[in-house]
Amino acid sequence: MQWETVIGLEVHVQLATRSKIFSGASTAFGAEPNTQACAVDLGLPGVLPVLNEQAVAMAVQFGLAVHADIPEVSVFDRKNYFYPDLPKGYQTSQMYHPIVGAGDVEITLDDESTKRIRIHHAHLEEDAGKSLHEDFHGMTGIDLNRAGTPLLEIVSEPDMRSAKEAAAYLKAIHSIVTYLGISDGNMAEGSMRCDVNVSVRPKGQEAFGTRAEIKNVNSFRFVERAIAYEVERQIELIEDGGKVVQETRLFDPERDETRSMRTKEEANDYRYFPCPDLLPVVLDQAYLDHLRSQLPELPADKRARFQTSLGLSAYDAHVLSASREMAEFFEEVHRVCGDAKQAANWVQGELSGALNRENLSIQNSPVSAKQLGELISRVLDDTINGKAAKQVFQALWNGQGDSADAIIDAKGLKQVTDTGAIEAMIDQVIADSPAQVAQYRDSEPEKRGKMIGYFVGQVMKASRGTANPQQVNGLLKEKLDALL
Ligand code: ADP
Ligand code: MG
């Protein structure tokens, strides 16, 4: 039996407002516990929430970026339940009239093909506090700093068919919200987390299977691993004559498995009703037009432009547009050096390699885009060769000079293109290598091409890497063949 996987994601994005969604308390991360929750966040008697306009603007911008319908009216509802991290006794959310309607997102798969994933809707809600289980000797501490932090919950249609597609979708959402600047997208700090709905069905069957929902997965890799485990569990269960039950599960990254949390029978009845303390949100056309005019170029548009007007490959265009910082860095390098392909190669090659090795993000790159662009210009105008360029890059990285030109001067890396100088070095190497010359002479003609590498290496060494390699190659061949 062939099985097909069906996946739908509910992504929670923490919006980057400075204050909470219904109060003036700060949303900054990392403060002392319980120093950033005010009476409104705690739902104390007699307080009234006031909607943060910035949160509305951010939600709408997301909606516009995913081509969604933005309804004129949206309404906040109370979702009632008890939990220690929710002293209000209800979460203010949007159940029946969300702020963002149906839209879609383009995802890019490993082979650079693309697919559209439909978004069912996105709604605004407040986050709850956090339970702290460590350091309390068998008791639980509660930190309410996060209570009232604005979240945008983005609910997809069940359009994904593999773990890879789900990860690509999450990456696409991450790109969009960080391009828009509506979230810092920091998954380690919980700024983006998702509930993963997974089911399987026999290939060719139209009806969906029963799904399990894996709560609060907070990394791209965990999403893939949780789905892989869950798919295998469900198929095995069905093939053994069992039935998947609709339930909520937790992913345990240490053991690489999902475990049941609660089944549907135990599910809460949240008794949603419109929040009497908040007016419906009414958005007029002028407001939407204003927000639309503020949208930056989005990842999909940038990717398309990198391909069509800069001539980059689909792969390069995708990698370089995935984060706004990466795209901006690349565009600045390109602006300075004028060669898109070289700029792409250096940003993805030497620079990304060095950043990864030292676990730095591109915003913290010790080599600036301007410095890298100038370095590439010196390769393009033949001032230095490729080998010296890597040395210059390393020196810039280590802060040994302010610019490529300064380092080229200081280290004497200017490429030697003077034929006379190169010939003199070649003559010296030939005079110093009688055994290799004899070997060259006695070899089959088709083997000589390979043997020339030894001599090139010696000449490059003699020039301390500064000789023009093409010239060295050509002149060496002439001189060696003259000895035959
Ligand atoms: P609920 O109303 O119970 O929250 P929804 O219909 O809103 O359920 O779906 C929640 C999420 O689950 C959505 O992202 C949706 O795409 C996904 N989903 C729904 N049915 C399935 C299914 N059979 N398999 C996988 N995902 C599903
Ligand atoms: Mg739901």
Side-chain angles (χ1 to χ4, degrees), residues 80-374:
N80 301 280
Y81 65 96
F82 169 79
Y83 203 74
D85 65 14
L86 187 79
K88 287 169 76 165
Y90 60 88
Q91 178 193 31
T92 307
S93 180
Q94 297 185 309
M95 179 62 184
Y96 303 107
H97 301 283
I99 188 150
V100 172
D104 60 64
V105 171
E106 185 179 86
I107 64 168
T108 302
L109 302 166
D110 282 348
D111 63 358
E112 305 314 324
S113 63
T114 56
K115 176 175 174 179
R116 288 212 163 268
I117 305 296
R118 291 169 302 154
I119 286 176
H120 181 272
H121 78 271
H123 62 262
L124 278 169
E125 61 187 26
E126 61 182 338
D127 209 344
K130 229 189 245 178
S131 299
L132 307 171
H133 300 289
E134 281 150 32
D135 305 332
F136 290 96
H137 312 287
M139 295 185 288
T140 297
I142 305 285
D143 175 8
L144 293 164
N145 283 352
R146 206 177 63 182
T149 297
L151 297 178
L152 183 65
E153 177 173 339
I154 304 156
V155 181
S156 85
E157 293 286 355
D159 284 352
M160 288 150 274
R161 294 291 173 269
S162 67
K164 288 251 179 261
E165 287 188 10
Y169 170 79
L170 196 56
K171 283 179 188 161
I173 297 287
H174 187 267
S175 276
I176 291 170
V177 300
T178 50
Y179 264 69
L180 291 171
I182 63 172
S183 175
D184 64 18
N186 188 330
M187 295 182 82
E189 289 179 3
S191 301
M192 209 173 121
R193 45 194 199 267
C194 71
D195 303 339
V196 186
N197 297 272
V198 183
S199 65
V200 297
R201 63 179 170 187
K203 226 181 177 118
Q205 175 184 307
E206 201 167 324
F208 289 139
T210 304
R211 72 178 196 264
E213 178 177 9
I214 311 159
K215 278 276 178 207
N216 265 329
V217 188
N218 67 351
S219 90
F220 299 116
R221 212 140 29 95
F222 289 175
V223 165
E224 286 195 55
R225 279 165 50 188
I227 293 171
Y229 175 87
E230 189 56 24
V231 167
E232 203 169 307
R233 183 188 73 87
Q234 292 185 12
I235 292 175
E236 221 164 84
L237 186 63
I238 300 170
E239 288 185 343
D240 285 350
K243 258 194 175 148
V244 176
V245 292
Q246 190 170 336
E247 63 180 350
T248 306
R249 300 178 70 86
L250 265 190
F251 176 62
D252 176 349
E254 311 240 304
R255 297 165 76 173
D256 221 357
E257 62 180 26
T258 65
R259 283 198 298 275
S260 183
M261 237 170 100
R262 56 176 185 262
T263 57
K264 193 161 189 191
E265 289 73 61
E266 311 159 42
N268 296 300
D269 176 354
Y270 293 117
R271 294 178 181 268
Y272 281 97
F273 63 86
C275 180
D277 288 344
L278 289 158
L279 289 167
V281 179
V282 181
L283 304 174
D284 63 25
Q285 198 53 47
Y287 182 71
L288 299 189
D289 290 343
H290 167 71
L291 288 177
R292 198 188 306 274
S293 73
Q294 310 270 302
L295 288 181
E297 185 181 30
L298 289 160
D301 303 324
K302 226 184 237 307
R303 185 168 65 238
R305 182 168 61 78
F306 283 179
Q307 278 185 258
T308 52
S309 56
L310 300 185
L312 296 187
S313 69
Y315 176 81
D316 289 354
H318 174 57
V319 173
L320 292 169
S321 63
S323 90
R324 183 174 181 166
E325 290 79 15
M326 174 81 101
E328 281 171 359
F329 194 102
F330 160 73
E331 291 198 89
E332 175 67 7
V333 174
H334 173 230
R335 198 186 59 71
V336 174
C337 78
D339 186 318
K341 185 68 202 160
Q342 286 300 322
N345 286 349
W346 275 88
V347 171
Q348 289 177 89
E350 212 67 15
L351 180 73
S352 292
L355 292 171
N356 286 341
R357 264 195 303 282
E358 301 202 12
N359 212 0
L360 288 172
S361 61
I362 200 158
Q363 300 96 291
N364 299 319
S365 170
V367 179
S368 71
K370 179 162 176 280
Q371 288 173 322
L372 183 56
E374 287 168 354

Side-chain angles (χ1 to χ4, degrees), residues 443-464:
S443 303
E444 314 268 314
E446 54 282 5
K447 291 218 175 115
R448 287 187 191 131
K450 222 172 171 183
M451 289 188 61
I452 214 163
Y454 166 79
F455 296 98
V456 174
Q458 293 301 304
V459 176
M460 292 306 292
K461 207 162 135 193
S463 75
R464 291 179 7 269

